[in-house]
Amino acid sequence: MSIVERIRKLSEAHTRLIALSIIAMGVLERLVWLHQHPDTKNGLAEAYNVAASFARDGTIADTFRRGSGLSTHFTPVLPTIAGYVYRTFGLQTFAAQAILTTLALGTVLLSGYVLFLVFERLGMPVVWRLIALGTFSLLPLFPYLETVMFQIWEGGLACLLSAWVLLRLLDADRSHDAGMRPWIGTSFIASFLFFLNPPSGLACFVMMGIWLLRRRPLRTWPGHAAWGALALALVLAPWTIRNYEAFGQFIPLRSNMGLELALANHPAAVSGKDARQVFETRLNTIHPQTSQAAFDRMEAMGGERVYAKRLGDETKQWIAHNPGAFATLSFRHLVQFYFPPRWQWELNQGGNSATGVKQALTWLFAGIGLLGAVLGVLVWRGLFFYPATLIIVPALPYMVVQPILRYHYLIYGITLFLGVEVVRRCIAAMVPSRASAA
């Protein structure tokens, strides 16, 4: 028996144990990193401010600093959870940080395990799935995001929920389940994800549409659409009602789009100057979190919603007069979403000798995964429409804003796993006998 055959049989006999062992080692590795970087524990910015506000008095408020008032800057899911933890155990106490770190790592590593199950449904042999899971778990390219930022920011939970929706749709597609109950459940998960992170939720809605096209007759679509719309309405209703009562405005998600649009689209962004310097200058000029002058302007205008709307209106006027520059920036943002430039790693953590390696590996995984998405749509088709959608669709909303590493992370796991599938198929094409054994 060859060594390849021995590995295959061992992997098949102890798949779950090996997978869980890999995940446990991934958790330990990230905890060691966090212990070695204690200075990174307080980089949660606006999200921490809101969580602290909720801990103090149960309000979603004080996004930019204490006293800045009720907020709709972002949706409240993770700040509320963190706020409850802070209220119980104290702000940034060891106990609170331990709980939130556990939650962050749990969502991150569990999303990897769900993708492990997803690619079982897609036909990837167990050895290759363990390679993908091992790479995801034991080669952490974004430890700051996974251990610190995702304590209160939504990236880890969004990855977990999108992988769960993908798994449910694959199971429904393979089983030809025509019942409405799985659809309703998936609709609520996707709706909650849309509330949490609209680009990821949009991708899940598109995947649900693909399932309807593939598996349900046209006459059933209105019923499915009605249940999906009802689920979305029920998920968005509490936050929308709260916002209307507080501000007299219909705000079902967030009110910060104008600020994000203004950060990314302006004359200096197309000047050809150093991208990091341009971004930081713009951030320090108009963002109330980093600029006292911007905070004062926001307060003078009447608060964050008015300020963001004013910035958005000004930016839209600039876009209308400079459509070519806007198209150039949008294409640049699209490329940066998949292939983050080095300066994005340096924004929160500073540069070091490992930054170039992290960037190179991220680009490699993204490039091969993106190739897999294209092949999934044009060549492999079938079930591969679903993971391809999860890679392609989230990039579209982020084209009009400045991508950062948190945005790229939404597709990191799925591109890595799909990239491994591309490599597997290439090896299978070149060495059929060995591939069949693996």
Side-chain angles (χ1 to χ4, degrees):
M1 184 182 296
S2 67
I3 185 64
V4 173
E5 184 66 17
R6 290 177 184 271
I7 293 174
R8 184 183 67 82
K9 287 187 176 295
L10 179 65
S11 301
E12 291 176 349
H14 304 285
T15 301
R16 180 172 296 182
L17 177 61
I18 296 173
L20 294 178
S21 298
I22 289 172
I23 291 172
M25 288 188 289
V27 171
L28 179 61
E29 189 174 13
R30 286 161 175 81
L31 290 176
V32 169
W33 182 91
L34 185 61
H35 178 72
Q36 294 174 343
H37 298 79
D39 56 319
T40 64
K41 294 180 181 179
N42 299 318
L44 297 168
E46 305 105 291
Y48 173 77
N49 294 340
V50 176
S53 173
F54 191 88
R56 287 192 300 267
D57 53 29
T59 59
I60 303 300
D62 298 348
T63 297
F64 302 114
R65 62 198 64 181
R66 190 165 183 175
S68 57
L70 295 177
S71 176
T72 57
H73 185 70
F74 44 66
T75 49
V77 178
L78 268 297
T80 298
I81 294 172
Y84 274 117
V85 173
Y86 288 147
R87 181 184 298 178
T88 304
F89 297 97
L91 294 175
Q92 294 189 328
T93 61
F94 177 81
Q97 296 304 106
I99 292 170
L100 293 177
T101 301
T102 300
L103 291 175
L105 291 180
T107 58
V108 166
L109 275 302
L110 186 55
S111 72
Y113 185 73
V114 176
L115 289 174
F116 179 79
L117 300 178
V118 161
F119 278 81
E120 178 186 24
R121 273 60 164 182
L122 291 170
M124 183 187 287
V126 62
V127 172
W128 288 96
R129 288 190 289 120
L130 289 171
I131 290 173
L133 181 63
T135 304
F136 178 82
S137 301
L138 304 179
L139 189 64
L141 302 182
F142 307 95
Y144 174 73
L145 296 180
E146 294 172 334
T147 61
V148 179
M149 293 295 285
F150 294 162
Q151 291 180 23
I152 309 181
W153 294 90
E154 80 281 0
L157 181 57
C159 289
L160 174 59
L161 293 177
S162 60
W164 189 16
V165 171
L166 174 57
L167 180 65
R168 289 176 63 91
L169 289 171
L170 288 173
D171 285 341
D173 194 299
R174 294 166 72 241
S175 66
H176 304 279
D177 189 347
M180 189 63 75
R181 182 175 297 180
W183 171 265
I184 295 172
T186 302
S187 295
F188 273 100
I189 300 169
S191 296
F192 182 76
L193 176 57
F194 183 76
F195 178 59
L196 181 73
N197 183 271
S200 295
L202 177 62
C204 288
F205 288 145
V206 173
M207 288 195 298
M208 292 169 68
I210 291 172
W211 181 81
L212 286 178
L213 285 169
R214 282 174 50 84
R215 293 304 178 201
R216 301 301 296 139
L218 183 60
R219 68 179 183 275
T220 68
W221 291 8
H224 285 81
W227 275 109
L230 178 61
L232 182 61
L234 291 174
V235 168
L236 297 183
W239 180 244
T240 305
I241 293 170
R242 175 262 191 188
N243 293 337
Y244 189 82
E245 290 178 344
F247 311 114
Q249 298 178 9
F250 177 75
I251 306 174
L253 293 171
R254 304 167 63 172
S255 63
N256 71 322
M257 185 58 190
L259 175 60
E260 296 297 331
L261 199 66
L263 283 170
N265 301 279
H266 54 95
V270 291
S271 64
K273 297 180 181 179
D274 179 77
R276 177 182 177 180
Q277 181 181 358
V278 168
F279 177 73
E280 290 186 328
T281 299
R282 185 66 167 172
L283 191 72
N284 293 329
T285 301
I286 70 171
H287 202 296
Q289 177 70 22
T290 57
S291 167
Q292 181 64 47
F295 181 84
D296 293 340
R297 287 195 300 272
M298 178 189 74
E299 292 290 279
M301 287 183 186
E304 65 178 44
R305 293 166 308 286
V306 178
Y307 182 67
K309 186 178 185 306
R310 177 77 62 83
L311 287 175
D313 291 341
E314 293 172 355
T315 304
K316 290 173 186 176
Q317 291 180 5
W318 180 82
I319 290 171
H321 289 93
N322 300 273
F326 176 65
T328 299
L329 288 173
S330 295
F331 180 75
R332 182 188 301 172
H333 297 154
L334 178 65
V335 174
Q336 290 179 343
F337 177 79
Y338 289 109
F339 304 100
R342 182 186 178 100
W343 61 267
Q344 292 189 8
W345 272 271
E346 299 171 346
L347 280 178
N348 296 113
Q349 306 165 68
N352 55 52
S353 58
T355 301
V357 176
K358 291 179 181 179
Q359 181 189 23
L361 290 173
T362 300
W363 283 29
L364 176 65
F365 298 152
I368 302 176
L370 191 57
L371 173 62
V374 173
L375 291 172
V377 171
L378 300 179
V379 181
W380 303 339
R381 304 172 72 83
L383 295 178
F384 282 94
F385 280 123
Y386 297 109
T389 299
L390 209 53
I391 291 174
I392 295 170
V393 171
L396 304 180
Y398 285 123
M399 287 178 64
V400 299
V401 300
Q402 174 58 60
I404 55 178
L405 290 185
R406 278 195 296 111
Y407 303 162
H408 174 83
Y409 194 89
L410 297 172
I411 62 162
Y412 169 62
I414 189 67
T415 53
L416 192 158
F417 272 80
L418 197 56
V420 170
E421 176 66 7
V422 171
V423 172
R424 182 188 77 82
R425 288 178 178 244
C426 288
I427 293 176
M430 292 185 294
V431 192
S433 59
R434 292 184 182 180
S436 61

